[in-house]
Amino acid sequence: MSNSKVVYEGWMVRYGRRKIGRSFIHMRYFVLETRLLAYYKKKPQDNVVPIKTFLIDGNCRVEDRGLKTHHGHMVYVLSVYNKKEKYHRITMAAFNIQEALIWKEKIESVIDQHQESQAANGNKFHSFEYKSGTDNGRNGSSSDHESQFSAAEDEDDSNSNLLRRTTIGNGPPESVFDWTKELDSELVNQNSNNQAFARKYWRLLQCQNGLRIFEELLEVDFLPKSCSRAMKAVGIVEATCEEIFELVMSMDATRFEWDCSFQYGSLVEEVDGHTAILYHRLQLDWFPMVVWPRDLCYVRYWRRNDDGSYVVLFRSREHENCGPQPGFVRAHIESGGYNISPLKPRNGRPRTRVQHLMQIDLKGWGVGYISSFQQHCLLQMLNSVAGLREYFSQTDERTTAPRIPVMVNMTSVSRTSKRSHKLHLSSVHRSPSLDQIQAANKNAVLMDEYSDEDEDFQCADQEALPSTIEVEDKRAAYEEEPKEQIDLSIFSGNLRRNDNDKARDCWTLSEGNNFRVRSKNFCYDKSKITAGKHLMDLVAVDWFKDTKRMDHVARRRGCAAQVASDRGLFSIIFNLQVPGSTHYSMVFYFVTKELLPGSLLKRFVDGDDEFRNCRLKLIPSVPKGSWIVRQSVGSTPCLLGKAVDCNYIRGPKYLEIDVDIGSSTVANGVLGLVIGVITTLVVDMAFLVQATTTDELPERLIGAVRVSHLELSSAIVPILESDSAEPSKS
């Protein structure tokens, strides 16, 4: 063993797959030192040589792979790798979540120390600095499972309630909306966490069984009338988040003890460590002799946030192995799930806030003719929170580290034969696999997991403040003085501009006051202010499609960037690349007469990729759209360079940033979700360079745009010039 200090050690599971595809697990003794992670067959003594070692530096990452199955046993898998050598990695796992999370925290603390020393060394920024980004410490590491659109690059960290160390898997699957984003910020002052303003549309409907029952006020016009308004139950349970999570994920006989609406559940398909497709029969007691029973086929996704909370999301999904069942009406979950958040202990007992949300269409004649039917059934389902509370209140036994429950994988049963399929449906106590949980991870996370964090913030020394004030005053004077207007009529893009609020398939400018950025005093009080004027003018927007990804669109003859260059203006082009069977690119052209020498924006344009990846920030918002979509997209700043691959192309008078959404399965899933309902949405996006030292504050927006009710059919195929004389890719 080396002479460096041992940070943490203990037994863990080595998990992997052999070349023939079968998984294996071995118990191994892991030792974490200040520069090294190694494992041995037994606890090392003297100078025993480890089986494998892994050098740790500031470019390393720890990914949550979620929950994996091995012969019926569930293990929580972590993967440690270096971003610059991503094929060299160590995969380790634990039989309980707490042990895995301790290891994750310890390894990340070692990585953080290396990053701090690197940053202190000549203020060098590393592009994959893992230190979450900036606001409120939230970036989530994520599974490196690649989706069908995913680039070879592994995705990065992220989130607002997905701190950088969050476990999210691939993000929630297509169209599974993350309603917890809005719920988490409901009681929080808008000045603290919400970077874009968002009103909440909930009212307290009633108090029942010690729960508060809320109803969504906003009418949703694109859902069938038979679909209920979203309702949620909020209650306090005296148990740890892990204990509650374990129960919520179970679909076996234990569920009968706390969920009165549960009749039977099984696994249809395991998607990944966070997502699964489930079949679920509801036990609804409303005139059972008259009303047919209901069943569900839905995708379930889970993730663990960095604050220790768990999110479990549901949405109905059709599946070839789970068609309509005789004697059942197939209900439709528009959105639902649990948000399990830790509270401060009281009298030595753990306390957790559990929120259960459900928006469901129970289908059938009963919904249309008897208004009380839907609400009665919905309240019966939401009462599961009271069931959880009573379940834990009736026992004093506390297991410090509950082992992940063994789940029976029903997939093979459902596919072997009709006979076994009938058994599969009739055995009431079959359990779906915990992997089901994993599936839901696939698209959910919005890019919140890539959110910036305050941990990244570096306050300048007090002695340095006098000199920075002078620079700040000069910069403020420059930014506030009236600038000569740019003639916008010379620019054009194929997506039209229309400032009418009700216009469709168009773009307009989004006011800077819609967004909150770091104030001049952020270093001391973490305060934020409205963004104010943009640094650059948005002059045109292009909406492209093609059979392949469209890189370096600034080479397109006659584009706004070339027009600006011909007139001596400087452009920053954001090319948001959305993968799919058809590739789409939304291109924003921001133009200015000149960049202020010494300014943060000038340093960003002329800097290297590592610096840019640490600083490029996006603030998204959905001002118009169903609330469920608004929560999915969120409004938390996201460090784009940490979330997805950004390719920077520096021309003589422009900088193009190609943002490859497909490089992250998380971001890819979120974008896929948005694309599916894009005609119903109004989306705001603000771009800025993150300020991380006192002299760079306050933050200023490069620019912001609002895209309204976009039509996929309006995209055109661009004609791009040859790359023979391509500018440098810095």
Side-chain angles (χ1 to χ4, degrees):
M1 296 174 63
S2 68
N3 295 325
S4 59
K5 180 184 174 185
V6 173
V7 178
Y8 197 66
E9 59 182 333
W11 290 98
M12 287 284 279
V13 178
R14 274 277 298 127
Y15 173 89
R17 290 193 175 275
R18 306 187 192 282
K19 290 183 179 179
I20 58 174
R22 300 183 68 178
S23 61
F24 65 85
I25 55 175
H26 302 300
M27 293 303 296
R28 294 289 182 260
Y29 196 89
F30 281 75
V31 177
L32 173 65
E33 300 174 5
T34 50
R35 292 193 60 84
L36 208 64
L37 176 65
Y39 63 85
Y40 305 79
K41 280 196 173 182
K42 58 183 180 180
K43 189 171 182 178
Q45 296 176 346
D46 302 321
N47 293 317
V48 178
V49 178
I51 299 173
K52 187 173 182 178
T53 60
F54 184 88
L55 186 66
I56 295 179
D57 62 25
N59 286 309
C60 290
R61 295 185 178 182
V62 187
E63 290 182 338
D64 295 274
R65 297 287 191 86
L67 294 158
K68 305 288 185 181
T69 312
H70 177 77
H71 297 318
H73 293 283
M74 301 302 303
V75 289
Y76 192 97
V77 182
L78 303 177
S79 180
V80 188
Y81 73 100
N82 190 304
K83 183 65 182 181
K84 296 185 175 179
E85 302 172 357
K86 58 179 178 289
Y87 298 108
H88 176 55
R89 60 177 67 216
I90 283 185
T91 303
M92 56 200 297
F95 285 113
N96 67 72
I97 292 176
Q98 290 91 326
E99 183 65 21
L101 294 176
I102 291 171
W103 272 97
K104 189 170 191 292
E105 181 183 344
K106 297 291 185 184
I107 297 171
E108 283 173 337
S109 68
V110 173
I111 295 171
D112 287 352
Q113 290 169 12
H114 288 291
Q115 288 169 355
E116 288 165 7
S117 63
Q118 289 165 348
N121 238 339
N123 199 27
K124 176 171 175 59
F125 287 86
H126 282 244
S127 59
F128 303 105
E129 208 174 355
Y130 227 60
K131 299 196 59 171
S132 20
T134 16
D135 291 303
N136 304 324
R138 318 160 161 165
N139 273 23
S141 56
S142 59
S143 161
D144 72 346
H145 229 318
E146 294 183 1
S147 78
Q148 56 181 322
F149 307 124
S150 176
E153 184 80 341
D154 291 5
E155 60 270 30
D156 271 56
D157 30 83
S158 56
N159 168 62
S160 143
N161 250 29
L162 272 173
L163 302 194
R164 105 181 206 206
R165 302 182 173 97
T166 300
T167 165
I168 50 154
N170 293 336
E174 176 186 344
S175 74
V176 174
F177 305 115
D178 191 353
W179 52 269
T180 63
K181 288 293 174 297
E182 187 170 80
L183 299 180
D184 286 342
S185 57
E186 267 185 333
L187 304 178
V188 180
N189 188 304
Q190 258 182 340
N191 291 336
S192 58
N193 279 343
N194 286 354
Q195 277 70 30
F197 295 114
R199 291 180 59 198
K200 311 304 171 197
Y201 298 90
W202 293 96
R203 75 178 178 95
L204 183 64
L205 186 66
Q206 61 178 272
C207 291
Q208 177 177 306
N209 294 340
L211 308 178
R212 288 180 301 149
I213 309 290
F214 293 85
E215 182 183 52
E216 176 201 20
L217 286 179
L218 191 64
E219 290 287 354
V220 181
D221 53 14
F222 57 86
L223 291 176
K225 289 185 178 180
S226 58
C227 190
S228 70
R229 287 186 178 186
M231 292 176 64
K232 64 175 180 178
V234 183
I236 305 300
V237 179
E238 286 193 345
T240 64
C241 290
E242 282 73 20
E243 291 173 307
I244 297 169
F245 172 73
E246 177 182 340
L247 277 186
V248 165
M249 299 310 299
S250 67
M251 298 282 274
D252 57 12
T254 60
R255 197 174 185 104
F256 292 109
E257 299 184 44
W258 60 272
D259 186 355
C260 62
S261 67
F262 177 78
Q263 185 188 61
Y264 162 73
S266 66
L267 173 65
V268 177
E269 180 189 349
E270 175 182 339
V271 179
D272 66 20
H274 288 258
T275 310
I277 311 295
L278 304 183
Y279 175 72
H280 187 146
R281 287 181 177 174
L282 296 173
Q283 180 72 48
L284 304 175
D285 60 3
W286 202 91
F287 289 112
M289 300 298 292
V290 180
V291 178
W292 278 29
R294 263 57 178 176
D295 66 359
L296 300 162
C297 179
Y298 60 93
V299 60
R300 178 173 71 179
Y301 151 78
W302 74 273
R303 71 167 183 270
R304 182 185 188 275
N305 292 336
D306 212 13
D307 60 358
S309 64
Y310 289 84
V311 171
V312 184
L313 303 175
F314 307 143
R315 175 145 188 185
S316 281
R317 165 81 59 83
E318 292 183 0
H319 195 280
E320 58 181 356
N321 293 325
C322 190
Q325 301 297 316
F328 285 84
V329 174
R330 179 63 52 88
H332 175 84
I333 299 177
E334 180 63 23
S335 181
Y338 293 86
N339 188 10
I340 304 164
S341 309
L343 298 175
K344 290 182 179 178
R346 183 176 292 171
N347 299 326
R349 297 181 70 90
R351 296 167 65 243
T352 298
R353 182 177 69 165
V354 179
Q355 300 181 73
H356 184 197
L357 179 139
M358 189 63 69
Q359 185 173 22
I360 191 170
D361 184 355
L362 288 172
K363 306 287 188 180
W365 66 268
V367 178
Y369 290 94
I370 308 172
S371 58
S372 61
F373 169 69
Q374 182 109 340
Q375 189 175 56
H376 170 87
C377 297
L378 199 49
L379 288 173
Q380 188 174 341
M381 298 169 75
L382 294 178
N383 267 333
S384 64
V385 178
L388 285 167
R389 185 191 63 220
E390 296 305 315
Y391 178 91
F392 285 105
S393 69
Q394 296 172 30
T395 176
D396 288 323
E397 296 175 10
R398 279 284 179 277
T399 52
T400 53
R403 184 156 170 154
I404 301 167
V406 174
M407 306 293 279
V408 179
N409 188 324
M410 302 296 295
T411 310
S412 57
V413 180
S414 64
R415 293 179 180 175
T416 49
S417 66
K418 291 182 179 179
R419 178 169 169 267
S420 61
H421 186 62
K422 289 177 182 176
L423 287 172
H424 167 68
L425 293 175
S426 60
S427 66
V428 174
H429 297 293
R430 292 284 193 178
S431 333
S433 154
L434 204 52
D435 310 324
Q436 312 165 354
I437 317 167
Q438 308 164 346
N441 240 13
K442 216 166 180 182
N443 298 332
V445 167
L446 306 178
M447 290 186 36
D448 283 349
E449 1 176 31
Y450 298 92
S451 80
D452 51 336
E453 300 192 29
D454 293 335
E455 292 179 31
D456 256 348
F457 194 85
Q458 302 161 359
C459 288
D461 294 333
Q462 292 295 328
E463 297 87 73
L465 291 178
S467 60
T468 62
I469 291 173
E470 184 181 351
V471 175
E472 178 66 37
D473 290 343
K474 287 181 181 178
R475 188 183 69 157
Y478 173 85
E479 290 169 346
E480 295 307 322
E481 70 183 20
K483 298 184 179 63
E484 186 181 344
Q485 293 294 313
I486 294 174
D487 181 9
L488 301 182
S489 64
I490 62 176
F491 302 100
S492 65
N494 75 292
L495 189 67
R496 65 190 176 92
R497 175 174 177 173
N498 190 326
D499 295 335
N500 188 321
D501 281 346
K502 295 185 178 179
R504 301 182 66 84
D505 199 27
C506 62
W507 68 273
T508 186
L509 295 178
S510 183
E511 289 294 326
N513 290 336
N514 292 336
F515 305 92
R516 298 185 66 79
V517 297
R518 297 175 172 189
S519 71
K520 189 171 182 177
N521 297 321
F522 181 83
C523 176
Y524 310 106
D525 58 14
K526 299 296 185 284
S527 61
K528 295 200 172 185
I529 56 173
T530 53
K533 294 180 181 178
H534 305 166
L535 293 176
M536 302 181 73
D537 292 309
L538 178 60
V539 298
V541 177
D542 279 326
W543 180 221
F544 294 147
K545 66 181 176 183
D546 206 340
T547 54
K548 59 184 183 302
R549 197 175 71 190
M550 292 153 281
D551 297 324
H552 191 197
V553 294
R555 58 196 160 101
R556 188 175 67 89
R557 182 171 297 171
C559 73
Q562 293 192 4
V563 172
S565 180
D566 292 342
R567 287 161 176 74
L569 306 174
F570 188 87
S571 306
I572 294 182
I573 305 113
F574 289 93
N575 176 14
L576 302 186
Q577 301 168 320
V578 183
S581 53
T582 298
H583 290 256
Y584 291 92
S585 271
M586 177 151 283
V587 187
F588 305 108
Y589 301 89
F590 294 95
V591 172
T592 187
K593 288 189 177 295
E594 62 174 332
L595 299 174
L596 175 64
S599 67
L600 178 58
L601 185 56
K602 175 71 171 172
R603 286 164 49 210
F604 173 81
V605 167
D606 294 336
D608 59 17
D609 285 7
E610 293 178 290
F611 179 78
R612 292 166 176 161
N613 283 330
C614 285
R615 298 300 192 97
L616 179 60
K617 187 191 291 186
L618 166 70
I619 305 176
S621 176
V622 180
K624 293 182 182 178
S626 73
W627 69 267
I628 210 78
V629 176
R630 294 201 308 273
Q631 289 133 42
S632 177
V633 174
S635 59
T636 304
C638 145
L639 287 180
L640 277 178
K642 290 188 172 187
V644 293
D645 286 350
C646 294
N647 188 28
Y648 304 93
I649 304 168
R650 181 70 158 93
K653 296 293 288 183
Y654 68 83
L655 172 66
E656 177 174 332
I657 306 168
D658 291 345
V659 183
D660 180 12
I661 304 299
S663 62
S664 162
T665 47
V666 173
N668 192 17
V670 174
L671 260 292
L673 174 153
V674 172
I675 285 290
V677 291
I678 200 161
T679 57
T680 68
L681 301 181
V682 175
V683 180
D684 281 356
M685 286 175 279
F687 301 92
L688 66 156
V689 181
Q690 177 174 289
T692 61
T693 57
T694 309
D695 61 306
E696 296 170 350
L697 292 168
E699 288 181 333
R700 296 287 302 275
L701 298 183
I702 296 172
V705 61
R706 171 169 292 183
V707 180
S708 302
H709 305 291
L710 195 63
E711 298 286 349
L712 297 180
S713 58
S714 64
I716 66 169
V717 179
I719 301 174
L720 302 178
E721 298 295 315
S722 168
D723 266 335
S724 54
E726 186 175 314
S728 64
K729 292 189 178 182
S730 56

